[in-house]
Amino acid sequence: MLPVFHIHALAGEGRDLWLHLQPAPRGISALRLRRRDGKRCVPLDVLLEGDAARTRLPGPALLEDTPQRWDVQIEVGNTGQFQQLIGTTADGADRHFFRDAVQAHGLSAYLSDSASSLALFTAPLEQHAMTVEAENLRAAFPSLLEQLPLQEDLVLFESFFGRAYAGNPRYIYEALRRMRPDLRCVWAYNGDEQIPGNPQRVIRGSAEYLRLLAQAKYRVNNILFTAHGRKPQTRYLQTWHGTPLKRLGYDITVTGPEVEARDNLYRESRAWTLLLSENRYSSDVLRRAFRYDGPILEAGYPVADPLVAPVSAREDTLARLALPSGHRFVLYAPTWRDSQQVGHWQFDFDLQLDLVKVAAALAPDQILLLRGHHLVSTGLQDLALPANVRDVSHVDDASELCAIADVLITDYSSIFFDYATTGRPILFYCYDLEHYAEQVRGFYLDMAQDLPGPIARSTEELVALLADLPAVQATHADRYAAFRERFCALNDGSAAERVVDAFFGPFPSPSRFLSDLVALAGNGPAEDDARLRGLIQRYLADAEAISTLLYERLSPPEQERFLVWFLKRWAGIDRVAPGELAHYLAEVDRIRAEPRPPITIGDGQYVLQDLRPQGHDFRLASYAWALSIHDILFDQYQSEDFRVRPGEVIIDAGGFIGDTAVLFCAKTGNDCQVHAFELLDENIALFEHNLQLNGVADRVVLNKRALSDHSDGSLLIRQARLQGATSVGAGDGPGERIATITLDDYVAQHGLQRVDLIKMDIEGSEIPALLGAVQTIRRFRPKLALCLYHKWDDVLTIPRFIAGLGIPYRFNFKWVQLPQGWEAVLLAQPCEEARP
């Protein structure tokens, strides 16, 4: 019968604790506490009382400045061998069944996941509370799965227990950002490396992590998450982390940490919905070793994609890793030894390689890169390294090192399967070959026959091989070629894209518009990624229509400008070229610095602006805030081949203070007729003054009517917060009701025999006004200058309206207001054959 654990604090005795075991384990002779890193043990006295046992746990003696885990271990029969104390508890449902505060620290007891062995956790009080909350939440994970809603667009990534931004998950994530920007990615990552796109990051095992794990529609990992189980709709991609040479899971026949952990991994694997495999050999081994009978995707390994990258990428990698260019690199990447465990998933590092001899044998342009496994790499810190040897164990992703390495030295690490993709030489340094094969893990392959390179058993043998690499390559060329065919045939640089397609599915819209938009918006800060996702979700259903109706009809330079504006206006993502923005701001400052004397019109106080600094010989009475820079200097309603011409009749809907009407007159030498529509009385007063001021009153007809899709109705307008601006509303309320008229009726009433340009900037009322102008447009086929920036769907509804006219128009796009994304105009000009 397993003992039941009960712990209580001793009052007034320095917060020591009593641990009771009922019944006492049979044959118990000693107890001890062993710190997880193996660096400290605390013996405990055992008091036997009938069929029970108890011991005092010295609480204060266990406290340190950093969090620590302690295993309670038992000796049976005075053998000197300690093992984990396994039992159960009757105290509540929380994982941490006992908690206490000791000298500004928290101390708690819990049962381990893998063996239900008793363990203690200590940490400073606040940190202890956060950790205990998360671990108790993990114990309640099944209830989280039931209670929290699924997030359809959420992907949770994790690699190597949250220690690294590396491995297959890294390269799948980077491909996913390009191919499925509609998905929201979160990384469980405890490190310091900057992740491209700055996704949300959570600490592995934290309460936030567990909530996201319960809610994510997609999971990607290369080992396991901290809690088992998933929602039925959740999809879980297990990528694993190497083609296996050494035995795994249930194929291991000797004791060790992998054997102890395999039941936990088995429970995790019940949630996998897809297992990634590098090749057919791996599929067979992984299925058997993990006792997994679900679907397997043989697609190659994304982690090998950068190994077939262009040579030009090498210099970028060297700069990022602070390694000198113009050198050749020898990468030594050994694995860890199960038999040298010194703590909980911590292992001693025994180099067994004379670095001085190896360093002395290297050519002047060679550097040895030494990368210890993440479970043992801390041991390298104590080594004195020769000048031409670099410790690169801090590099999370071994693929970056493989990409620059001219030769790989390893032992039993699966890294060589991926490195073989490069075709560069591989050497094996196996000083403990027989011991590893018989007493540690054992192998799946024949080490003498199947490896793509020779085995060295000593430093001297390794140095000799390094000295004659061309001969080594020639000797093993056939075996190497067979090895690559068997294990690396799918590693063609596109594995990550295949995985994304297979697991996540293709991007919901294949439109050029969205594809180009995503490419332009990429590699920005995290908030840009979030904004881009929101933008995509808003426009996804209409993306193909926007692409064909508008975007693909623009020239390539205007397409790029359209995307820059679109991101700025509708997502707040700034991709404006710094030089262009600086020029714009300089022009604004220049115009603002020009003198603008005050002027009184009626009861209003305004300024008089001379437009000669903007290239036109006229003046405007205007509001103090208005510079007319967009309409006049940047000429937003016209372009190089989209011009008003003498003799033309122009509809100016949204006439404001007459600035564009006066400009049209100036550009035609006062040889045009403008029919303007303005609704706000104050603007109309300024408009009329400006017509008289510039001597063009006989060229302009000013109407206080609202263009719409019906006549004899009314529209409610309100004075906006900005002086001179209006907003168009519905229903009743404060404001003024303005009579509506269709442009078709207006043209008929005024007997117009031609209309050459329709310009509309009417606060989002463009579509109703255009619907009331269909007959006019079909009859006269005028140029159209239509604002696109008022409503989010203007980019769809306005081009769709034009397409429905049955008149071939060609498009230009103009955007001049760079800081906020306003003043974007679609310039539609009838093709030559479509002119009346």
Side-chain angles (χ1 to χ4, degrees):
M1 179 183 295
L2 292 176
V4 176
F5 304 134
H6 177 70
I7 300 176
H8 68 268
L10 296 175
E13 296 189 38
R15 302 307 290 177
D16 281 352
L17 312 172
W18 277 115
L19 166 64
H20 293 263
L21 312 176
Q22 178 74 35
R26 181 174 298 178
I28 182 173
S29 55
L31 288 171
R32 72 176 185 182
L33 293 171
R34 183 177 186 271
R35 207 168 72 180
R36 281 279 172 89
D37 61 7
K39 295 181 178 180
R40 189 179 166 204
C41 288
V42 178
L44 304 173
D45 295 327
V46 179
L47 302 176
L48 295 175
E49 299 173 341
D51 67 342
R54 64 185 178 120
T55 186
R56 184 185 298 227
L57 303 175
L62 307 180
L63 307 181
E64 300 186 26
D65 292 336
T66 57
Q68 296 295 340
R69 307 255 177 188
W70 299 81
D71 288 311
V72 182
Q73 297 186 322
I74 182 174
E75 179 191 23
V76 177
N78 296 307
T79 61
Q81 301 294 317
F82 282 84
Q83 60 193 35
Q84 304 296 72
L85 178 60
I86 297 173
T88 185
T89 174
D91 296 340
D94 285 345
R95 183 178 194 233
H96 288 256
F97 64 90
F98 172 81
R99 293 178 64 176
D100 194 20
V102 183
Q103 297 178 4
H105 285 67
L107 186 152
S108 57
Y110 64 95
L111 301 183
S112 70
D113 291 327
S114 58
S116 292
S117 59
L118 182 61
L120 304 181
F121 172 59
T122 66
L125 205 55
E126 183 176 352
Q127 190 170 6
H128 182 270
M130 292 175 59
T131 302
V132 168
E133 177 195 6
E135 294 188 1
N136 286 341
L137 195 62
R138 186 180 71 180
F141 190 68
S143 64
L144 290 183
L145 290 173
E146 293 181 2
Q147 296 167 7
L148 296 179
L150 184 76
Q151 294 190 23
E152 292 280 353
D153 66 339
L154 177 59
V155 189
L156 181 61
F157 283 90
E158 182 177 309
S159 181
F160 297 116
F161 303 110
R163 296 171 179 162
Y165 172 63
N168 288 318
R170 167 183 173 167
Y171 295 99
I172 293 170
Y173 162 74
E174 292 177 2
L176 186 67
R177 286 189 69 224
R178 299 190 304 270
M179 299 169 65
R180 289 294 306 272
D182 55 312
L183 297 178
R184 178 168 65 96
C185 299
V186 177
W187 267 88
Y189 178 54
N190 300 354
D192 299 322
E193 183 172 344
Q194 186 74 17
I195 297 178
N198 296 317
Q200 179 185 351
R201 287 163 51 167
V202 292
I203 300 298
R204 185 179 193 265
S206 67
E208 183 180 18
Y209 164 96
L210 290 163
R211 294 187 181 98
L212 291 172
L213 180 62
Q215 294 184 275
K217 169 69 177 290
Y218 303 97
R219 302 176 183 175
V220 181
N221 205 330
N222 62 2
I223 304 182
L224 50 75
F225 293 102
T226 64
H228 302 312
R230 62 174 174 84
K231 292 177 179 291
Q233 308 95 316
T234 298
R235 303 193 64 203
Y236 181 169
L237 173 62
Q238 172 55 243
T239 73
W240 203 237
H241 48 273
T243 288
L245 168 67
K246 48 187 181 286
R247 293 187 178 274
L248 295 173
Y250 290 97
D251 286 345
I252 301 175
T253 57
V254 295
T255 59
E258 289 279 358
V259 172
E260 296 171 2
R262 67 188 178 191
D263 287 344
N264 192 38
L265 185 59
Y266 175 80
R267 292 195 296 273
E268 175 82 351
S269 69
R270 302 310 91 183
W272 300 348
T273 58
L274 188 64
L275 173 62
L276 179 62
S277 168
E278 192 169 19
N279 44 58
R280 175 54 59 86
Y281 158 85
S282 294
S283 300
D284 295 338
V285 170
L286 296 177
R287 186 180 292 284
R288 182 183 65 249
F290 296 143
R291 296 181 180 175
Y292 171 75
D293 59 3
I296 292 179
L297 174 64
E298 288 179 17
Y301 262 178
V303 76
D305 284 353
L307 304 187
V308 292
V311 176
S312 59
R314 174 186 173 93
E315 291 302 316
D316 294 337
T317 304
L318 292 176
R320 187 167 60 255
L321 301 180
L323 294 172
S325 60
H327 284 72
R328 293 178 295 158
F329 297 96
V330 179
L331 174 61
Y332 178 42
T335 191
W336 54 285
R337 301 298 193 268
D338 307 45
S339 56
Q340 295 178 338
Q341 188 170 12
V342 295
H344 185 69
W345 286 105
Q346 294 178 314
F347 299 86
D348 195 13
F349 185 77
D350 190 3
L351 187 62
Q352 293 288 326
L353 180 67
D354 190 330
L355 290 178
V356 174
K357 287 184 179 180
V358 175
L362 295 178
D365 67 337
Q366 284 184 312
I367 292 177
L368 177 65
L369 303 178
L370 185 58
R371 189 191 191 261
H373 194 279
H374 68 86
L375 296 178
V376 297
S377 58
T378 53
L380 293 176
Q381 296 173 353
D382 300 328
L383 294 176
L385 301 179
N388 57 351
V389 177
R390 303 286 180 86
D391 177 11
V392 290
S393 301
H394 64 281
V395 177
D396 273 353
D397 194 353
S399 289
E400 293 188 307
L401 301 172
C402 288
I404 63 170
D406 299 282
V407 57
L408 171 69
I409 305 170
T410 188
D411 45 13
Y412 320 115
S413 170
S414 62
I415 192 173
F416 73 90
F417 286 93
D418 303 326
Y419 187 80
T421 301
T422 68
R424 302 173 202 146
I426 303 172
L427 307 179
F428 294 86
Y429 180 54
C430 304
Y431 56 86
D432 58 349
L433 181 58
E434 289 79 13
H435 173 75
Y436 198 96
E438 297 170 4
Q439 300 182 39
V440 182
R441 291 277 283 276
F443 305 111
Y444 290 113
L445 299 182
D446 185 324
M447 298 290 286
Q449 299 297 322
D450 294 332
L451 299 187
I455 298 175
R457 305 296 296 273
S458 66
T459 298
E460 290 72 20
E461 291 180 14
L462 182 61
V463 167
L465 292 172
L466 283 170
D468 199 8
L469 285 177
V472 168
Q473 288 183 279
T475 301
H476 292 81
D478 291 343
R479 185 189 293 181
Y480 203 132
F483 185 91
R484 292 184 69 193
E485 179 64 26
R486 182 181 180 189
F487 298 107
C488 307
L490 294 173
N491 291 342
D492 58 0
S494 299
E497 294 178 357
R498 285 194 293 275
V499 173
V500 170
D501 273 337
F503 184 68
F504 298 96
F507 191 65
S509 172
S511 72
R512 270 194 56 205
F513 162 59
L514 274 191
S515 298
D516 292 352
L517 187 75
V518 169
L520 180 64
N523 296 318
E527 54 269 25
D528 281 4
D529 272 16
R531 290 168 179 162
L532 179 61
R533 281 194 306 276
L535 191 68
I536 289 170
Q537 290 168 357
R538 169 181 274 191
Y539 286 94
L540 191 57
D542 301 313
E544 186 64 35
I546 294 170
S547 191
T548 56
L549 291 173
L550 172 58
Y551 179 71
E552 294 176 34
R553 298 177 60 182
L554 301 175
S555 67
E558 290 184 355
Q559 286 179 344
E560 182 174 0
R561 189 162 191 82
F562 177 83
L563 295 176
V564 172
W565 162 75
F566 191 83
L567 289 169
K568 181 73 175 179
R569 177 67 179 97
W570 300 116
I573 298 174
D574 192 352
R575 293 296 182 271
V576 178
E580 185 181 7
L581 180 60
H583 170 72
Y584 171 89
L585 295 175
E587 288 293 271
V588 170
D589 290 342
R590 179 177 69 84
I591 300 303
R592 185 174 284 123
E594 293 290 333
R596 293 187 296 163
I599 183 174
T600 301
I601 300 175
D603 295 330
Q605 299 297 316
Y606 308 100
V607 295
L608 186 61
Q609 185 170 7
D610 187 343
L611 274 300
R612 284 177 296 181
Q614 298 191 38
H616 297 284
D617 189 13
F618 61 85
R619 295 176 298 168
L620 290 174
S622 185
Y623 300 105
W625 60 265
L627 299 176
S628 298
I629 185 171
H630 303 121
D631 297 357
I632 310 299
L633 179 64
F634 291 115
D635 201 9
Q636 72 182 64
Y637 300 110
Q638 300 185 76
S639 67
E640 194 64 34
D641 60 347
F642 187 101
R643 294 284 181 196
V644 292
R645 296 181 175 90
E648 290 191 336
V649 175
I650 301 164
I651 305 298
D652 183 5
F656 190 45
I657 60 170
D659 47 353
T660 50
V662 174
L663 177 65
F664 292 148
C665 291
K667 283 182 174 290
T668 61
N670 290 344
D671 184 12
C672 67
Q673 183 180 356
V674 180
H675 292 262
F677 296 81
E678 177 54 44
L679 309 181
L680 195 66
D681 286 339
E682 189 174 14
N683 288 346
I684 290 172
L686 286 169
F687 199 130
E688 292 173 338
H689 179 89
N690 287 327
L691 295 180
Q692 296 294 332
L693 180 65
N694 293 285
V696 293
D698 62 330
R699 312 312 303 167
V700 180
V701 178
L702 179 57
N703 301 276
K704 187 179 179 181
R705 299 287 293 273
L707 290 178
S708 185
D709 56 358
H710 61 283
S711 297
D712 301 324
S714 66
L715 194 69
L716 182 69
I717 69 159
R718 299 182 176 92
Q719 167 74 55
R721 183 174 302 175
L722 184 67
Q723 185 185 23
T726 58
S727 64
V728 180
D732 298 318
E736 181 181 1
R737 286 208 164 269
I738 305 294
T740 63
I741 189 171
T742 67
L743 185 59
D744 291 337
D745 287 346
Y746 180 88
V747 168
Q749 291 173 11
H750 287 73
L752 299 184
Q753 297 304 305
R754 63 185 295 176
V755 172
D756 300 283
L757 169 65
I758 298 175
K759 166 250 169 178
M760 287 188 178
D761 185 355
I762 49 178
E763 310 307 320
S765 296
E766 284 80 5
I767 285 297
L770 288 169
L771 290 173
V774 170
Q775 294 178 22
T776 300
I777 297 172
R778 285 180 173 160
R779 177 185 176 191
F780 297 118
R781 305 195 174 191
K783 300 185 289 289
L784 306 173
L786 308 173
C787 284
L788 289 176
Y789 68 93
H790 293 114
K791 292 184 174 181
W792 72 270
D793 59 350
D794 282 347
V795 293
L796 173 67
T797 58
I798 290 177
R800 181 175 283 165
F801 167 83
I802 295 174
L805 293 169
I807 304 171
Y809 273 90
R810 64 177 183 271
F811 289 168
N812 294 102
F813 174 76
K814 192 148 189 189
W815 171 48
V816 297
Q817 211 277 0
L818 302 184
Q820 282 80 37
W822 301 337
E823 311 302 338
V825 182
L826 177 64
L827 304 176
Q829 186 163 204
C831 299
E832 290 299 328
E833 64 273 16
R835 293 183 182 277

